[in-house]
Amino acid sequence: MIVQCLHAEWLKLRHSRFWYILIILPIISTFIGSINYYFNQGILQNEWYSLWSQVSLFYGEFFFPILIAICCSLIWRLEHFNKNWNLLMTMPVSLPNIYLAKLFTISLMLLFVQGVFFLLYVTAGAVIGFSTSLPKELFGWLIRGWFAGVAISALQLTLSMVIRSFAIPIGISLCASFIGLGLYVLDLGIFFPHSLLTLGMGVISQTGLPSLMNHIAFFLINLFYIIISFLFAMEWMRKKDVFA
C-alpha cells in the first residue's frame, strides 16, 4: 500500500512548478556565497573550506529550511482544498502510509537538492580556480545535512498538516532558523533541529562533530524529532473526525 501512496504523491507533484524551486534556491545561495567569497579572498584564504563557509551559510541557515517548508506546505496543499481531507480519510489507506509516503517523497526531494548543491559548490570552486582537492568532510556534511533536513521535514509536515495556510508554516520555519542560529551560538544547538542542520553541515565551523559520541547524539536526536512528529501526526489524524 505504501507504494501506491508514493505513486499518488508523485502524480500530484510531477506537473507542478515546484521542481524549479528545488534548483533555483540552491543556485541563489551558491551564487551569493561565491560572490561573497570572491570579493573577500584576502580574508578567506582556505579555498574549498572558505568557500563552503560562505555558500553553506546562506544555504543551510536560510534557503534549505525555507525550501523544506515550501515542499511540506505544497505536499499537503491539495488535501486542504475542496474537502479533500474527507475523501482521503475515507479511502482504504492507513494513516501511517499517508504520512510516511509524504515524508519519503520529501526525503527524496532533499536528496536531489543536496546533489544539486554539491554540483554547484564544485562548479563554483572550479570556476574560481582552486588548486587543492575537495574537503574530505564534504560528503559527511551533505549526508548529515540531508538527515537533519528529514527531521525538519517531519516537523514541518506535521505543522503543514495541522495549519491549512500555505504561508504560515513557511514563516514559522524562517523564525525557527533564527532561533536555531541563536541556540548554536549558545552551544545548545544539539537540542534543536535547525541548529542540528547547522552542526551537521559544518555551516559556521567546519570542524563539525569531532567525536563519535557527538555523531551518535546527532543522529539519535534527529531520529527523536522524526518519531515524535510521526506519533503526533498519527494521534491528530485519529482524533480529527471531520476535515471540512
Side-chain angles (χ1 to χ4, degrees), residues 146-159:
W146 171 78
F147 194 69
V150 173
I152 295 172
S153 298
L155 290 167
Q156 286 292 143
L157 262 180
T158 303
L159 196 62

Side-chain angles (χ1 to χ4, degrees), residues 57-66 152 156 169-189 192-198 203-204:
L57 177 63
F58 293 98
Y59 173 75
E61 283 298 322
F62 304 108
F63 288 99
F64 195 40
I66 290 173
I152 295 172
Q156 286 292 143
I170 298 173
I172 292 173
S173 179
L174 181 59
C175 293
S177 296
F178 288 106
I179 294 171
L181 183 58
L183 290 174
Y184 175 87
V185 172
L186 295 173
D187 291 327
L188 298 173
F192 193 71
H194 290 71
S195 304
L196 287 167
L197 178 60
T198 302
V203 170
I204 297 176

Side-chain angles (χ1 to χ4, degrees), residues 5-94:
C5 292
L6 288 168
H7 181 64
E9 295 299 333
W10 169 252
L11 289 176
K12 287 190 293 184
L13 295 173
R14 66 175 181 174
H15 294 304
S16 173
R17 294 181 180 179
F18 89 99
W19 292 104
Y20 297 117
I21 298 174
L22 299 185
I23 298 174
I24 290 173
L25 289 184
I27 289 176
I28 293 173
S29 57
T30 305
F31 178 76
I32 295 173
S34 299
I35 291 296
N36 195 52
Y37 169 81
Y38 184 80
F39 287 105
N40 290 279
Q41 293 184 68
I43 302 172
L44 305 170
Q45 299 180 344
N46 203 9
E47 293 201 346
W48 288 109
Y49 287 93
S50 296
L51 178 62
W52 180 263
S53 71
Q54 300 305 299
V55 298
S56 67
L57 177 63
F58 293 98
Y59 173 75
E61 283 298 322
F62 304 108
F63 288 99
F64 195 40
I66 290 173
L67 185 149
I68 292 171
I70 291 172
C71 289
C72 291
S73 288
L74 183 66
I75 209 167
W76 281 114
R77 186 173 176 82
L78 184 62
E79 281 78 5
H80 289 317
F81 280 114
N82 300 323
K83 299 185 179 181
N84 284 330
W85 261 113
N86 294 332
L87 177 62
L88 179 66
M89 298 301 287
T90 58
M91 294 178 64
V93 181
S94 69

Side-chain angles (χ1 to χ4, degrees), residues 102-117:
K102 292 181 182 295
L103 182 60
F104 188 74
T105 300
I106 291 178
S107 299
L108 290 179
M109 293 180 197
L110 300 187
L111 198 60
F112 170 77
V113 171
Q114 289 290 79
V116 171
F117 183 64

Side-chain angles (χ1 to χ4, degrees), residues 214-229:
N214 283 340
H215 279 87
I216 293 173
F218 172 85
F219 285 104
L220 286 179
I221 295 174
N222 276 302
L223 185 61
F224 169 78
Y225 278 113
I226 294 171
I227 293 172
I228 288 297
S229 300

